[in-house]
Amino acid sequence: MTIEIGRFDGEWDELRQVIDLAFSAPWSEAQLETEKRVWEPDRSVVATDGKDVVGHAGAFGFSMTVPGGQVPVAGVTMVGVLSTHRRRGILRDLMRRQLTGLYEAGEPLAVLTASEPVIYGRFGYGLSSDHQQVTIKRVSRELRKVAGVEDVRLRFADPQESLAQTSAFHNAEALTRPGMFQHNENFQYYVTHDNVTTALQGASPLRCVLAERDGELVGYTHYRTRRTDKGFVDVVRVHSADLAAHVALWQFLLDPDLLGETTYEHLPSDDPLLMLLVDPRAARATTLDGLWGRVADVGKALASRTYAEELDVVLGIEDDFLPWNAGSWHLAGGPGGATCEKTDRSPDLVLGVRELGTAYLGRPSLGLLGAAGLVEERTEGALAVTSRAFLSPRTPWLDTGF
């Protein structure tokens, strides 16, 4: 029987069964209810075998920060094919239909977090951000002295009652760093309730601590405590307005009563925490992949961000999956904005759309990709100039899983 790819017009319970089988995950009713709340039915693309749904790809509509501003982005989620129907090209067809729909709707970029990263490169996704997973033992918790910490007052707050404050604080910070997206009402609910990114075994309810100075909110943290075979603080997020607030929050998180260590899976790669530890061996840190980005519309995506210095370059883009992206693109711009249009000129640089996705959010990667032979320089000096122009003052960071 022929597999059909199209929009989903069924109900959540039918889709839930497919997701449960595809991911083989023992999610709780509370976690699945949270997913149902944020689900956007109009964005669900499914594969059907007769009357049976055998594959799915969904997406959230995000306003995500890129260098110089915000763009509409599709946060791809709940992608899976039933094990009974693998190796038939169904995932490829789902990805192509989804990306084509984004292009037609005017959304220039798709992002996702990958359960298996090697899968998505063949569809043009490149690694756009990373972060650090850190574990710090309580006996090695000491931080260097920072002025102003004593002026920061910490207090416990109910995560729901403080949600308006913390969401406004988060969204203001999100405007300043590529890879972060605005928490709308649904995602405000999502980040304070159990969802499928949450490991619940042995965990306390979500806890919130606010950092204030002279009555003004200057930071906050969400975390859980776990009393398993070894007790620890499981940090969910830390946001701060300045270094003193940041250190005050981390001093609190690193010195828990009755718990032996603190873990955080999403520490930004440019966070000062590791530099502030008195003992440089105190933290066990592992680099993890964060966002994977896929440019659906090269011209619109490159014209939607700014550049660290003036740039006038022709990029030869290779894209076998979305043919409208392939060809030469004239990119001209700088800190004030940019234009990007198709051209007949010969390219100064040649790169795949996967490499473009890797560099798009400003990660320091374009020059490294060239050093690895993944970007071809045809005009001398073009790679160095373009690499500098693509950089962001702040390292891209995904603070919220989805």
Side-chain angles (χ1 to χ4, degrees), residues 104-141:
E104 292 173 348
E107 289 181 299
L109 189 69
V111 295
L112 55 79
T113 60
S115 54
E116 296 184 30
V118 296
I119 292 175
Y120 292 97
R122 55 195 167 114
F123 307 126
Y125 283 86
L127 179 55
S128 301
S129 77
D130 57 32
H131 52 263
Q132 305 297 308
Q133 176 179 287
V134 297
T135 299
I136 303 171
K137 292 185 179 298
R138 188 168 185 256
V139 295
S140 305
R141 69 187 184 277

Side-chain angles (χ1 to χ4, degrees), residues 130-133 265-267 269 286-290 397-398:
D130 57 32
H131 52 263
Q132 305 297 308
Q133 176 179 287
E265 189 171 316
H266 285 87
L267 185 76
S269 291
T286 303
T287 301
L288 300 178
D289 58 289
W397 176 45
L398 173 67

Side-chain angles (χ1 to χ4, degrees), residues 306-312 333-335 337 384-391:
T306 60
Y307 297 86
E309 60 182 67
E310 295 299 326
L311 179 67
D312 193 316
V385 171
T386 307
S387 182
R388 292 196 304 269
F390 266 72
L391 290 176

Side-chain angles (χ1 to χ4, degrees), residues 138 156 223 225-227 231-233 252-262:
R138 188 168 185 256
F156 283 100
Y223 70 98
T225 56
R226 297 182 190 269
R227 294 293 300 274
F232 60 97
V233 176
F252 167 82
L253 292 166
L254 293 173
D255 191 19
D257 292 331
L258 306 177
L259 303 173
E261 62 185 32
T262 299

